[in-house]
Amino acid sequence: MDHSKPETFKPETSKPETFKPFFNMNIRLFKPSVGEEELQLIRESFERSWIGLGPNVSQFEAEWEKFSGAAMAVGVNSATAALHLALAAFRFPEGKKVLVPSLTFAATATAVLYNRLVPVFVDSDPVTLGMDLNDLARKYDKDCVAVMPVHYAGHPVPMEKLMPWARERGLKVVEDCAHTAGAMYKGQMLGLWGDIGCYSFEEKKLMTTGDGGMMVTNDPELFRDVKAMRWVGIDKDNWKTAQAYTTANRDAMHWFYEIAVLGYKYNMNDLAAAIGLAQLKKLPAMSRRRSEIIRQYMDGLEGVPGVAPMLPFEPENYCYQMFGIRADQRDEMMIHLKGLGIATGCHYTPLSIQPLFAPWGHTCPFVEKEHERLITLPLHADLTDEEVDYVLDGIKVFHEAVVA
Ligand SMILES: Cc1ncc(COP(=O)(O)O)c(C=O)c1O
């Protein structure tokens, strides 16, 4: 994480004048922090009358390359699209296997199905809830062609162990970075340990473009066709064609394009990129605020019976999209918090017990049981200290209010 800029994040939303404990609170689980800076760049896009794939997307890609240190970044309209294209870039033969964690959002594994490949679900590490590397080794066989580690909640998968293991077996590595953005792990940015990293800018993420995603690689040859694949197979930016058309010495073939690869309508557009450019500037401050909130949660939860942070969060070292707890009485706790106006969630129902994945399911006994204890708590950069205390108080009185 970038701790170099000391300014603190100043949310633009109005705050309650006075803290009113235990009533009148309505605390969202996730919330994008957007305001004037984003609107200004959207306005400029309107004034240019260019809101599709255009200069903002190119600028955002260039800035993401600078921010992440990646040799190449390509903007798309979601991380779901990024994950689909990341696997497609390798052109694996149909029917090969891809190792994915069971505890993740559907998109990690639907990307496998989109590519006519077979998901192999890997159980969670009991401590971190990330991919269990022992189970990974057990699930591997010679038909596996790739592995997709998810930095669950933002907590790094031990990439220094996973990478040599994957390389020895010739596996490609696609990092699902939907829950992280800009975190360094052992001297390397998460997203650049593997062959391709995929970030999400959906509205609940560390930064947003409404919906959007970014693919990164340090091997530009891998992305040779990716720009065409994200734009219906055309490897030529529309806005550049339009620019050529308006120059005096225009080429009579300015309209020409060739379709050589199967593409999708997955491009990011200039309105999303306008939001992204403004959000990227705020990202370090928003991540720092999230870290402060997680520290407040962790300190406040110490010694509370029946409850523990869901994983060993290190908010001083990494940035987290989610915070959560493991609770002995999850459902009762959720109902209790809901009664106090506190939104909660469960991330996730493991994919290995979802009906869609039944043919490959019921293979991850630990997480298929453990997810019943998971509660996601409110985490976003606009949360106030008072609101976090309110959530903590709600958890602390649970035993008196409900159990006792
Ligand atoms: C782990 C993970 N992967 C992928 C995605 C897909 O992201 P997007 O909504 O940008 O398609 C998400 C979104 O929640 C996610 O949590």
Side-chain angles (χ1 to χ4, degrees), residues 336-351:
H336 165 75
L337 293 176
K338 192 175 186 177
L340 297 173
I342 300 166
T344 59
C346 173
H347 295 83
Y348 301 87
T349 301
L351 297 184

Side-chain angles (χ1 to χ4, degrees), residues 78-81 83 104-105 107-108 150 176 178-179 199-202 205 211-212 348:
S78 65
T80 302
L83 292 162
T104 183
F105 185 64
T108 323
V150 176
D176 182 334
H179 299 173
Y199 299 89
S200 173
F201 305 132
E202 182 259 345
K205 300 306 192 290
D211 267 311
Y348 301 87

Side-chain angles (χ1 to χ4, degrees), residues 221-271:
E221 183 55 23
L222 250 184
F223 277 9
R224 202 182 29 162
D225 293 332
V226 162
K227 278 203 168 173
M229 288 159 86
R230 70 145 176 206
W231 201 51
V232 294
I234 302 172
D235 188 8
K236 197 170 179 182
D237 291 348
N238 206 12
W239 69 283
K240 286 182 188 151
T241 314
Q243 271 186 340
Y245 186 67
T246 58
T247 58
N249 297 327
R250 64 182 178 270
D251 177 355
M253 293 294 280
H254 59 264
W255 52 269
F256 180 78
Y257 59 79
E258 201 170 55
I259 298 175
V261 295
L262 175 63
Y264 304 85
K265 191 66 172 64
Y266 277 176
N267 61 280
M268 179 176 278
N269 68 46
D270 263 21
L271 292 182

